Amino acid sequence: MNQNQNALTTAPTVEARDLCLTYGKQPVLKNLDWKLMPGQVVGLLGRNGAGKTTLLETLLGLREPQSGVVQLLGAPVAALSDDNRARIGYVPQRSDLFEGFTAQQLLDYFKSFYPRWNSDKVQSLMSRWGVPANQPIALMSGGQQQRLSIIRALAHEPDLLVLDEPVASLDPAGRRDFLRELVDQVLDRGTTVVLSTHILSDLERVAFNVAFMRDGRITIQAPLDELLDQTRQVSGNSAQVNLYAERSQAQILRIRSLGDGRSVAMLKISQSQAQDAAGLNIERTNLEELFLELA
Ligand code: ADP
């Protein structure tokens, strides 16, 4: 069963309804609705400060919204059982590792809390990802600490894995390959994964779904391939652009005036409807252009 079929037949792993959260006078989550289905791998995209960390913390029950509800693994997050808590892996943006420990001491410590712990996987990831077992954590590089934090979150084979900017401390060359490997680690088990980032190249080979966060909400969520196949940037005479959108039954995601009666629109359009039209410039987009327009 692929992940989209799966999504049709099962209950969500995470469901947020009507979340509102304000810091002082600054609203960060505004009536936000979101669902993550079992086995989905979702990249959460948004500018710095869009509220991604706040959202992830709220989904995990680490932050209390002013209103709205979160259901996690089928139960209200406020009443999460220990069993369900043990089914979640979380890698926060800022590492919360005990710096006086070695990696081995840290992992031994956490192992005692989880009924399920895959020691073979831990050993194999430690050697493959180059994390020294016996060096104090304080002396490891930022990238090694981040990898250790991820190994810790994978060790108990969670059903839901939440990663907040998981590769922020890694060098650019290794980021995408590392993420690919990380996702491969969880795919076989059907783990639901959500990872936040503002670096688009991280997602292009990793996330099967992307969700855009903007103005306190999830504005669009779709499989990445589908999103790119069904999006066109159309520019030209404003009236013609509007007419094209209407005739092709496209959804206008965003429209901007270019001056002189000309506009550029980002359209969601079915592939069969996306025909050329005289006088208009119609182009496919990449994730970066989409992000600039939507996030
Ligand atoms: P992102 O993860 O997308 O960068 P954050 O959730 O970290 O966004 O932050 C969203 C907004 O809320 C930012 O403007 C940030 O400065 C503000 N913010 C985050 N945490 C706090 C906090 N604990 N108290 C007050 N403001 C906060």
Side-chain angles (χ1 to χ4, degrees):
M1 193 183 276
N2 70 33
Q3 58 172 347
N4 291 321
Q5 283 170 324
N6 208 3
L8 293 176
T9 53
T10 32
T13 308
V14 181
E15 182 168 18
R17 266 179 282 132
D18 213 18
L19 289 184
C20 295
L21 190 147
T22 301
Y23 293 122
K25 288 186 176 162
Q26 184 194 1
V28 177
L29 308 181
K30 298 190 218 167
N31 306 99
L32 182 145
D33 294 319
W34 202 23
K35 260 188 217 173
L36 298 172
M37 302 309 292
Q40 275 190 328
V41 177
V42 181
L44 175 62
L45 272 173
R47 287 177 181 267
N48 277 328
K52 300 181 295 298
T53 297
T54 302
L55 172 59
L56 296 180
E57 289 177 350
T58 307
L59 296 180
L60 292 169
L62 303 171
R63 225 168 245 296
E64 203 176 331
Q66 272 89 21
S67 61
V69 286
V70 177
Q71 293 272 120
L72 201 57
L73 301 165
V77 69
L80 205 61
S81 66
D82 288 346
D83 284 352
N84 273 350
R85 208 172 287 281
R87 293 170 60 200
I88 299 168
Y90 173 46
V91 180
Q93 197 166 22
R94 265 176 284 283
S95 147
D96 57 352
L97 304 170
F98 308 130
E99 298 206 330
F101 281 30
T102 64
Q104 195 59 54
Q105 286 167 337
L106 180 96
L107 293 166
D108 287 345
Y109 173 73
F110 277 99
K111 183 177 172 178
S112 62
F113 292 109
Y114 291 97
R116 195 160 68 190
W117 187 270
N118 188 334
S119 297
D120 292 344
K121 175 182 268 183
V122 168
Q123 290 316 319
S124 126
L125 287 176
M126 293 277 283
S127 67
R128 231 160 354 115
W129 290 357
V131 179
N134 297 313
Q135 194 177 339
I137 291 168
L139 301 181
M140 290 184 189
S141 72
Q144 285 173 327
Q145 290 186 10
Q146 206 154 21
R147 285 166 194 239
L148 174 59
S149 185
I150 292 171
I151 292 171
R152 191 198 67 184
L154 288 175
H156 62 283
E157 305 196 315
D159 295 319
L160 169 66
L161 181 62
V162 178
L163 304 150
D164 194 356
E165 302 267 0
V167 286
S169 312
L170 301 188
D171 57 77
R175 305 171 68 101
R176 207 163 53 171
D177 291 342
F178 175 72
L179 276 177
R180 178 74 255 176
E181 194 186 331
L182 168 67
V183 170
D184 283 346
Q185 285 290 321
V186 294
L187 275 186
D188 284 347
R189 293 200 65 253
T191 309
T192 308
V193 183
V194 56
L195 58 103
S196 76
T197 184
H198 60 278
I199 299 174
L200 303 172
S201 56
D202 286 351
L203 291 184
E204 279 176 319
R205 274 173 39 210
V206 173
F208 303 135
N209 290 267
V210 286
F212 286 88
M213 183 165 188
R214 180 166 173 247
D215 294 336
R217 294 180 189 218
I218 300 296
T219 49
I220 287 188
Q221 178 169 350
L224 182 54
D225 296 350
E226 189 184 301
L227 197 64
L228 296 179
D229 280 346
Q230 297 186 349
T231 309
R232 295 290 183 278
Q233 184 161 282
V234 179
S235 54
N237 174 280
S238 300
Q240 252 186 305
V241 169
N242 280 310
L243 194 63
Y244 178 85
E246 195 183 315
R247 290 219 174 119
S248 55
Q249 298 176 324
Q251 179 191 352
I252 299 178
L253 301 174
R254 194 147 167 79
I255 189 158
R256 250 178 329 114
S257 168
L258 297 172
D260 294 334
R262 294 167 57 78
S263 306
V264 57
M266 194 65 85
L267 302 182
K268 183 167 190 291
I269 188 168
S270 78
Q271 264 192 299
S272 59
Q273 295 275 9
Q275 312 289 343
D276 285 346
L280 291 177
N281 186 21
I282 301 169
E283 294 173 337
R284 292 176 72 94
T285 56
N286 59 35
L287 187 58
E288 189 151 358
E289 284 163 350
L290 244 184
F291 179 79
L292 286 174
E293 291 295 334
L294 301 182

